[in-house]
């Protein structure tokens, strides 16, 4: 059984920085963890749980068609709790590629945000 615990501040700051450039995205504190939303839809949910007697921090995000590719890689990627969702284990050391985290969260945003907001990023909107 896993239990929610506080997400380490260093990881929250890194995910916050990865989402800072996303137009009109906002951060909020749900029942547990921290999440970033666009137009009322969650683009990233960050939480820490105890697993095997140690804390495990994950971010869940929308991956669309990339879900199968990412989960086939295995650690640090796992299937999320719904269609098109992926969970990624995060650490505050060299094992997490924070540039990749930023790209994945930007893609999640592009899947959820209105076209006019995605256009402000100067990126093509990925197909869902």
């Amino acid at each position: 059984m896993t239990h929610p615990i506080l997400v380490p501040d260093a990881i929250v700051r890194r995910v916050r920085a990865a989402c800072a450039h996303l137009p009109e995205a906002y951060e909020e504190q749900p029942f547990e963890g921290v999440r970033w939303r666009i137009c009322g839809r969650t683009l990233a949910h960050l939480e820490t749980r105890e697993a095997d007697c140690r804390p495990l921090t994950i971010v869940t995000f929308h991956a669309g068609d990339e879900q199968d590719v990412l989960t086939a890689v295995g650690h640090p990627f796992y299937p999320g709790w719904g269609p098109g969702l992926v969970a990624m284990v995060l650490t505050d050391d060299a094992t997490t590629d924070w540039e990749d985290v930023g790209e994945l969260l930007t893609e999640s945003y592009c899947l959820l945000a209105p076209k006019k907001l995605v256009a402000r990023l100067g990126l093509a909107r990925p197909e869902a």
Side-chain angles (χ1 to χ4, degrees), residues 41-54:
R41 299 177 74 191
T42 301
L43 70 101
H45 186 197
L46 183 62
E47 61 185 320
T48 299
R49 293 189 164 268
E50 186 177 320
D52 298 326
C53 297
R54 63 182 182 86

Side-chain angles (χ1 to χ4, degrees), residues 27-92:
E27 179 181 330
E28 59 181 30
Q29 304 287 315
F31 51 96
E32 60 184 66
V34 183
R35 68 181 171 201
W36 286 262
R37 303 188 90 190
I38 182 63
C39 298
R41 299 177 74 191
T42 301
L43 70 101
H45 186 197
L46 183 62
E47 61 185 320
T48 299
R49 293 189 164 268
E50 186 177 320
D52 298 326
C53 297
R54 63 182 182 86
L56 183 68
T57 300
I58 61 166
V59 62
T60 303
F61 57 91
H62 290 265
D65 292 340
E66 297 295 314
Q67 179 186 26
D68 291 338
V69 173
L70 291 172
T71 57
V73 169
H75 185 78
F77 300 104
Y78 300 93
W81 37 262
L85 295 175
V86 172
M88 179 183 186
V89 175
L90 301 177
T91 61
D92 193 32

Side-chain angles (χ1 to χ4, degrees), residues 106-128:
T106 297
E107 290 173 18
S108 179
Y109 172 90
C110 290
L111 289 167
L112 301 175
K115 291 179 184 179
K116 67 179 182 174
L117 295 179
V118 174
R120 289 171 50 186
L121 290 173
L123 304 172
R125 183 183 176 105
E127 296 299 318

